[in-house]
């Protein structure tokens, strides 16, 4: 007997964190569970991608430290404008992995000043519960399990990581390739309709697979969208696939 999943409406009713609420509201309003991963290396590509896919996504995931020509005013200010124009959140995939004091500095200082613009961030939980205390003004998505071949996120690791994620008030969800308890949102990268891997350790599943088997909440798609000839068309395709897979996963 397969367990049924909660709908976005049900999760919205129970959501405690403002960022969880916002994500679920956007999902319902846009009929989308798609997060585009903007793994491009120039400000121009980042802003063009955000403008094209913006209407179809609930969040844009960045690796802001790969932008070669990063300048706060030229990169972040227009990105924030696009997020407001197209109604999506900004998810910085920083994967913090240090002691609390260092993470706090990485979060608030340097050239990126992530605290000033990100709606939510990813963080490893390897530094323990208190290492997440510094992310007070944003949501944290905890890395529970990774998608790459040979990852060290074993069963035992994931169990311990989940204990931190479930008990920390700053945590809104987890990144994983396994189901997580319904109290937190599940974000699943490693999603691609055309490929099963990238030759560099990445392992892909389809939207259908992750909704059916993991009861994921949000799919994260990088190369499937930004490498496509028509990024907007690709975003629409993943959005539609993801939404259909979500609806099907409610029916069990
Ligand atoms: P792509 O769809 O092009 O493989 O990109 C996946 C994105 O998700 C990358 O930005 C990567 O850093 C991220 N990611 C992942 O692939 N697996 C994980 O376990 C965690 C991630 O954040």
């Amino acid at each position: 007997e397969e367990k049924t999943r909660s709908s976005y409406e049900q999760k919205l009713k129970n959501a405690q964190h403002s960022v969880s609420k916002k994500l679920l509201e956007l999902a319902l309003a846009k009929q989308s569970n798609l997060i585009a991963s903007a793994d491009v290396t120039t400000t121009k590509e980042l802003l063009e991608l955000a403008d094209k896919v913006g209407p179809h996504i609930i969040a844009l995931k960045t690796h802001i430290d790969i932008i070669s020509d990063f300048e706060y005013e030229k990169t972040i200010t227009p990105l924030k404008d696009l997020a407001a124009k197209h109604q999506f959140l900004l998810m910085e995939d920083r994967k913090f992995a240090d002691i609390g004091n260092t993470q706090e500095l990485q979060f608030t200082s340097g050239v990126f000043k992530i605290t000033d613009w990100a709606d939510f961030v990813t963080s490893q939980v390897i530094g323990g519960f208190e290492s997440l205390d510094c992310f007070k003004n944003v949501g944290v998505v905890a890395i529970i399990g990774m998608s790459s071949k040979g990852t060290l996120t074993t069963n035992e690791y994931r169990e311990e990581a989940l204990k931190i994620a479930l008990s920390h008030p700053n945590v809104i969800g987890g990144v994983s390739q396994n189901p997580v308890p319904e109290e937190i949102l599940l974000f699943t990268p490693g999603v691609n309709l055309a490929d099963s891997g990238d030759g560099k350790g990445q392992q892909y599943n389809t939207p259908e697979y992750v909704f059916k088997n993991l009861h994921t909440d949000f799919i994260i798609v990088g190369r499937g969208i930004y490498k496509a000839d028509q990024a907007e068309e690709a975003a629409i395709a993943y959005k539609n696939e993801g939404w259909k897979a979500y609806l099907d996963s409610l029916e069990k």
Side-chain angles (χ1 to χ4, degrees):
E1 268 299 286
E2 222 164 324
K3 193 176 143 289
T4 54
R5 63 166 295 148
S6 298
S7 65
Y8 294 135
E9 286 90 344
Q10 288 162 324
K11 290 197 176 191
L12 181 56
K13 256 182 228 149
N14 298 325
Q16 303 288 319
H17 198 287
S18 62
V19 175
S20 314
K21 286 183 195 159
K22 190 78 212 184
L23 280 167
L24 291 161
E25 283 166 2
L26 286 173
L28 289 165
K30 293 176 119 171
Q31 302 214 331
S32 172
N33 44 47
L34 176 62
I35 296 175
S37 185
D39 300 335
V40 294
T41 56
T42 63
T43 294
K44 183 169 182 281
E45 290 170 287
L46 175 66
L47 298 178
E48 278 177 10
L49 183 72
D51 202 19
K52 275 187 204 153
V53 305
H56 316 293
I57 60 175
I58 58 162
L60 189 78
K61 185 175 83 59
T62 51
H63 283 294
I64 206 67
D65 57 353
I66 68 176
I67 301 291
S68 335
D69 59 347
F70 179 89
E71 271 182 65
Y72 197 94
E73 285 305 319
K74 288 187 181 155
T75 310
I76 296 299
T77 305
L79 185 61
K80 278 169 76 171
D81 290 344
L82 288 169
K85 175 181 166 195
H86 295 304
Q87 289 292 293
F88 59 80
L89 300 188
L90 294 171
M91 171 183 191
E92 166 54 23
D93 192 7
R94 176 61 181 75
K95 295 192 184 71
F96 296 93
D98 214 311
I99 60 167
N101 187 62
T102 302
Q103 295 195 154
E104 183 166 28
L105 292 167
Q106 291 168 327
F107 179 49
T108 56
S109 304
V111 289
F112 302 120
K113 299 195 187 348
I114 298 167
T115 182
D116 288 354
W117 55 271
D119 296 294
F120 59 116
V121 299
T122 57
S123 181
Q124 302 282 1
V125 294
I126 191 106
F129 183 94
E130 282 177 58
S131 72
L132 304 178
D133 291 352
C134 60
F135 306 118
K136 280 185 267 296
N137 61 325
V138 290
V140 175
V141 175
I143 307 297
I144 307 295
M146 293 191 67
S147 61
S148 45
K149 215 176 285 172
T151 176
L152 301 183
T153 55
T154 56
N155 270 326
E156 201 184 330
Y157 179 90
R158 293 199 309 271
E159 244 170 66
E160 294 303 316
L162 270 175
K163 283 183 200 163
I164 294 177
L166 290 167
S167 59
H168 202 293
N170 293 343
V171 173
I172 63 164
V175 163
S176 193
Q177 303 294 319
N178 294 84
V180 299
E182 293 229 319
E183 294 91 302
I184 57 171
L185 298 168
L186 177 56
F187 297 73
T188 305
V191 172
N192 195 296
L193 286 163
D195 297 320
S196 62
D198 66 355
K200 303 180 207 174
Q202 176 67 299
Q203 305 175 111
Y204 288 121
N205 289 303
T206 61
E208 188 191 356
Y209 177 90
V210 301
F211 279 98
K212 189 170 173 196
N213 297 285
L214 314 183
H215 290 168
T216 199
D217 291 299
F218 307 118
I219 50 172
I220 297 173
V221 181
R223 282 162 284 185
I225 293 174
Y226 72 79
K227 286 276 194 201
D229 291 336
Q230 309 273 355
E232 180 168 15
E233 299 311 307
I236 293 169
Y238 278 97
K239 175 197 150 178
N240 291 340
E241 283 284 326
W243 195 256
K244 183 180 175 300
Y246 160 69
L247 293 178
D248 287 348
S249 73
L250 288 175
E251 276 172 15
K252 276 280 144 28

